[in-house]
Amino acid sequence: MEPELAVALPAAGAACATALRPRPRLALGLGALLGAGGVAAVILSAPGAASDLLGVTLSLSAPSRSMLIVAAGALAFVVILAPQNAERSTLLRWGLAGLAGMAAIAVAPTLDVSVMVLLALVLLQVAGQGRRPYARRLRAPALAVALLGLALLFARMPGPPALQKLGAVGLVAGLAAALGTLPYMHEFDPDEPTSTSPIPWIAFVGPLLAVVVLTRARELLPSAGGALGAMLIGLGLINIVWGCVASWRTELGAAAWRYSFTADWGLALCGFGLGVSEGQAGALLILYSILLGRLPLYLWSRQPLREKIQTDRPINLLVAAALAGSAPFAGFPARILVLRGATALYWPLALVIAATLLLWVPSSLRLGRTMGMPTGRQLAGIAVALALSVALGLYPQPLLSLAGQ
Amino acid sequence: MTEAAAFAAWLGGAIIVLADGRRGLALGLALMAASLAVATFMAGQQVGAAALLAGGIVGSALRYRSGPEGWGLMQPGSTPRIILTIVIGLLSLYLALSISTGDGGALRFAALASIALTSARLLQGADRAAALTAASALALALGAASAIAPAASLSACVAAGIVAAGASTLSVIEPSGA
Amino acid sequence: MPPLALLVPIALPILGAALVVLLRRNEGLLARAAASAGVWAAAVAIVALWLPVRSTEELGLGQLGFGSSFELRLDAVAVVFSLVVLLPAATLLALQPRTWQESTVAVLGVAAAVMAVEAGGVLLTAIAGCTAATLAVIQLDVEDLRAPRPSWAMLLAAWIALAWAGVILQVQGGTAIYAAVPVSAMTVPVFALTAFAAVFGSGLLPWRGWASRLWSRPSLRAAGVAVATLQPLGLYLLVRAYELGDGRYPHGYLHLMLAAWGVLVAFGAAARAQAATTRREYMAEVLPGMAGFALMSLAVGSELGLVAALILIATSAVIAVCLPLLPERGGPPSLLVAAAAAGVPPGLAFGGRLLGLSAAFEAGGGMGLIGLAGVATWLLSAAAAARSVGLPAGRGRPATETFPGVAAALGGLAVVAGPALGLAFVAGASAAADVMSTQAGALENGVSSIVTVSTVVPVIALLGPLLLMGAIALAFAKPVPSVARSESHPPLFKLYGSALYSRIAEQVRAAAVPGEYRSLFNPGALESAAAGGAPLLWLASLVALAFAVTR
């Protein structure tokens, strides 16, 4: 029953929050209650245990479950310590809708259903009011759905091994298109509301989607594992370099943040592509740090970015250190794990990855300044984000155990 | 019959690519839904076929009621789109029948061609009605593609039907300022 | 003592930092007291943990999740380096006024450095060391954003290199715990990464690196704590490398290379010191010079060399306290500190250098030649110290930061403690035994004399009378009047090329493309190409991927 509730309760919460828009406090309260119920269902569910309540077998794998819990935690603390000028009920509404979709993707019996849910999420997201034309907002995510669908089709077609490899191409390209990483970047308007921008894909839904797709990919494409890994590593390295350099050199602060997500994803893709457990663990840790660190920090930076405030106070420097993957923050052990996986596999790859790790420094210093002079709720939020990052950086074992690592 | 259904699926997709008016879009969606349902039915997935058909028909009916007026078929400047539909058809045929082996070639062709055509329509940057119709058709195509692996296709077909119908309920009016 | 007590020296500074934050509205004495109390208490805890037992204590708290377990270890080497980090930091935090933010960051950095020293494995050392380096950079930026500081990227690179070394040890040897790594896993690449981390993490460079440039900051509050925290960590890594390699480095030539590097570092510092135009410029080269000698001694590969290095490191810790407390003007405090650092007999620095050079000569061959170079460097640094007495003051610092009396007392202590070299030697030898197996008869522990393979150093008999003579000379000495810059003694030799190098470096830093230049690197253009208009890039990428995997 827990998998069903994990989807239904957040969905109900999002629906209530939408219906009660004229009464934001009630929407917030009811939405929060239902959302908390959904999270409780996720926590109480046993990883891998199947549920047949609706006549369809639903189950939640350990990595997906851990990602849902972390995403829910990120949503909770962003709503509680909401950024300036952001309405909590709106944040909660969109967050719960995303969470419900993510839960549906995670519990789906097959990858086909997950892709279908993804399409539904895409359509719901682009239905919101954005600054970019509708068709442009829809293109990249819809392409992602199509490519994933093609991948599944090729994976099932009987025939030569080349079909499996084409399936792997579709899977990797589809995932990149869903996330918005290079070369399938989504168009980005810095003034667009976050809910309808590409950020939810790369920073909120993306981590769970990647875990679900890549966990099932190896079962689906048994003879194309090498090709899959190679593509992930190749795209990963390209995204690291491009993301870091673009984040440093681009003129707009909001665009710099977007590219910083791309860079983090590059490292995560490398971790997934290594195919060894350490690489997977490192990738998961990076995704956790995106959800609990980079995404909330981005949200809190939006107001200072609009006001063009940049400062170099201790808090800005600490944020820079966290974003750069320096110890004691979560990025450092993630990098250790990825390096370990790469060293075990092929040490020149570890050398390349190690060399790229320094690229985060200049962009992080820039991004740290964009936090401005935080006060009140914003300062509390940043402090919580940094504290979580330190906890994850020094002792990631609990979360990794939750993910079955 | 399966071959005819596969061809009809391609035709439905081609109509969606070439049509700009709500009648043309509705026709293309309905044709694609019916043909994919037949192909899925012939592959042994009766309930799945029913779900696809139901979702496609509902979506088509809703599309018929909202969107740009008329058929909008083969508007001036649509030659590249015609060529695109033919190329996609030929490529899909090659992949489904020549590269891939075994039975069920027609269903493979139908699914492949439908996914490719609807993706092309989405990438064209069409207006909302056409984009949403293409999204509905994409859902149906993905549902039909899942029938190639019979073990777990029912839930996918049902989900496809729901998404296909649901997409057509979304507003086609572009809000001001976007 | 329960093993959990090993956490106390790390927890106490953190507690001190928490108290500083709580007391932040009282930015005066209370906050300063809280900061320094935490660090002093940690130093006391280290001694209290070690003295009753005087053997290695370990604590293991299970897996952390990144392939390393939380293992702490307190052996004699860890005690020495912990005190080397804690005591200077505690003194500076107690004496110098700073904002609550600076105090907090400084104390947390000290806690991280202690954890790096107490860590039982390479990975935990890397994490803690990187934390200490990051906090040092933040501390320096908080004090003054525009003043010179270490390149954060370079420090990060150093600790990432150490982390990678730990990872390779895990992959090849199954573990990165110091006491458990098989000797065969300590290969040349692993050592190279460790040495890279040590050299760049500590700023042990023959050219004017951050360890020298830090001293040109307007205020030396953060610089003092940063150097006291970071510089010993690099040398610590090289000491632990002996343990990993069962008493030696993976290959003989590595000893030679590292020793040569050490002499180059010392020579570079000495050359710059003798060409200094102000006392501040001279003082900037003191610690790098001592660190160079320590590195040279450490790299010899014998127990004598290692003990000599430990003595020099301990003396550097004393000097690291003195330098930030010295005023710019001349006088007895500057004289005493300069003498202590330069290795004027009978000081500890003199004894340490003497033993280090003896070790090099005992090793013979190429190491002997390096020893000769070391002697020449020592003479140069002594000349530079002598010249520095007549140098004019530098840019000036707030008087509230300077404590000439304390600096003079500590500098004097480093000089008069020379006859106690035997005691220092005994302590150093017990620490060296943790990482290097001692050969029977190689060294005979003695307080009054130090017996080595080739010689006997009568410590008390030699250095005692020298101390007496020095005291008499000081008593009859007259103060040297301060001189104008134009009247100071010319350097022994000019650093040809240094001005040119500085100009080139400045031009490179200030280089910018012309305003008319349009970069090929245009993220916005790529984004438009990818996401807007025709999706050609997407399709091309798809085709390229398909082509790549199906070949």
Side-chain angles (χ1 to χ4, degrees), chain A residues 136 139-140 143 147 165-166 169 173 182-188 227 231 242 245-246 249 258-259 312 314 317-318 320-321 324 326-328 332-333 336-337 339-340 343-344 347 350-351 357-358 361 365 393-397 400, chain C residues 63-68 101 115 123 126-128 130-131 134-135 138 141-142 145 149 152-153 156-157 159-160 163-164 167-168 170-171 521-524 526-527 530-535 537-539 541-542 545-546 549-551:
Chain A
R136 298 261 279 266
R139 274 160 62 130
L143 177 68
L147 287 172
K165 289 181 181 175
L166 288 178
V169 170
L182 215 67
Y184 297 97
M185 280 191 298
H186 300 184
E187 199 182 348
F188 182 71
M231 280 189 288
W242 183 264
V245 178
R249 302 301 298 172
R258 192 278 282 266
Y259 286 118
D312 279 300
L317 298 167
L318 283 170
S326 173
F332 198 79
I336 288 177
L337 284 166
L339 275 179
R340 189 167 164 196
T343 304
W347 74 262
L351 181 62
L357 295 182
L358 297 175
V361 174
L365 284 168
L394 293 177
Y395 189 39
Q397 185 63 43
L400 290 176
Chain C
Q63 287 294 322
L64 288 170
F66 43 87
S68 176
Q101 294 98 328
M115 184 164 157
L123 283 178
I127 287 183
C130 187
T131 306
T134 302
L135 289 169
I138 292 176
D141 273 350
V142 167
L145 199 59
R149 65 152 170 80
W152 187 24
L156 198 58
W159 294 103
I160 287 174
W164 192 14
V167 156
I168 296 174
Q170 284 183 329
V171 170
F521 181 82
N522 189 343
L526 180 67
E527 189 181 312
L537 182 64
W538 290 348
L539 294 172
S541 307
L542 207 57
L545 282 172
V549 300
T550 50
R551 281 285 129 240

Side-chain angles (χ1 to χ4, degrees), chain B:
Chain B
M1 177 130 170
T2 317
E3 289 80 8
F7 175 76
W10 171 81
L11 188 62
I15 293 172
I16 291 175
V17 170
L18 296 170
D20 292 322
R22 63 186 184 201
R23 292 187 185 188
L25 292 169
L27 173 65
L29 185 61
L31 186 57
M32 187 185 270
S35 47
L36 288 175
V38 167
T40 308
F41 186 93
M42 300 304 286
Q45 301 298 318
Q46 292 85 358
V47 181
L52 289 179
L53 185 65
I57 294 301
V58 169
S60 173
L62 289 169
R63 179 58 54 234
Y64 189 80
R65 290 162 59 89
S66 63
E69 291 288 337
W71 293 90
L73 271 174
M74 290 207 255
Q75 299 290 299
S78 58
T79 310
R81 289 194 247 172
I82 297 170
I83 298 171
L84 181 68
T85 57
I86 296 169
V87 167
I88 286 175
L90 290 172
L91 261 175
S92 303
L93 206 59
Y94 174 67
L95 281 168
L97 299 180
S98 192
I99 301 292
S100 179
T101 55
D103 294 334
L107 179 57
R108 294 195 293 269
F109 166 74
L112 194 52
S114 303
I115 293 174
L117 286 167
T118 52
S119 311
R121 189 64 170 124
L122 284 163
L123 288 176
Q124 278 171 351
D127 72 354
R128 270 203 182 202
L132 286 169
T133 309
S136 296
L138 177 61
L140 294 173
L142 292 173
S146 71
I148 294 175
S153 64
L154 174 60
S155 46
C157 292
V158 170
I162 295 171
V163 173
S168 295
T169 63
L170 296 171
S171 170
V172 300
I173 300 166
E174 197 81 35
S176 56

Side-chain angles (χ1 to χ4, degrees), chain C residues 178-198:
Chain C
Y178 292 121
V181 168
V183 177
S184 56
M186 185 56 171
T187 55
V188 173
V190 173
F191 180 80
L193 287 169
T194 308
F196 177 88

